Amino acid sequence: MADNDKNPSETETILMALDQISQTIDVMTSVVGRLRNYLQQQEAAATDQQKELQAEMHSDRILH
């Protein structure tokens, strides 16, 4: 009879642990997505800045 009392409790504990794991995965997925977006924005900004610098360098040249 002790086994019957123990099984629902173990099942409940396992289900709670799985729920916590699922929530953790959701949070980590969100963080990874935000980091990915941040890096893409930084890369785009760096590319734009590099293009602007190249354009300035070309406009400073004097042709004879």
Side-chain angles (χ1 to χ4, degrees):
M1 198 177 222
D3 287 341
N4 290 341
D5 291 339
K6 192 175 181 182
N7 285 339
S9 178
E10 284 181 10
T11 302
E12 201 172 305
T13 302
I14 291 170
L15 288 173
M16 286 183 1
L18 289 172
D19 187 48
Q20 289 176 347
I21 291 169
S22 177
Q23 289 176 12
T24 301
I25 290 170
D26 289 343
V27 170
M28 292 175 71
T29 301
S30 174
V31 169
V32 168
R34 289 170 55 191
L35 286 171
R36 182 178 288 121
N37 288 336
Y38 174 79
L39 289 174
Q40 288 173 343
Q41 289 174 355
Q42 294 298 312
E43 183 180 22
T47 301
D48 289 345
Q49 186 178 21
Q50 187 177 20
K51 286 179 182 178
E52 288 176 12
L53 288 174
Q54 287 176 350
E56 286 179 19
M57 288 176 61
H58 290 289
S59 67
D60 290 345
R61 292 184 180 169
I62 298 173
L63 298 175
H64 296 301

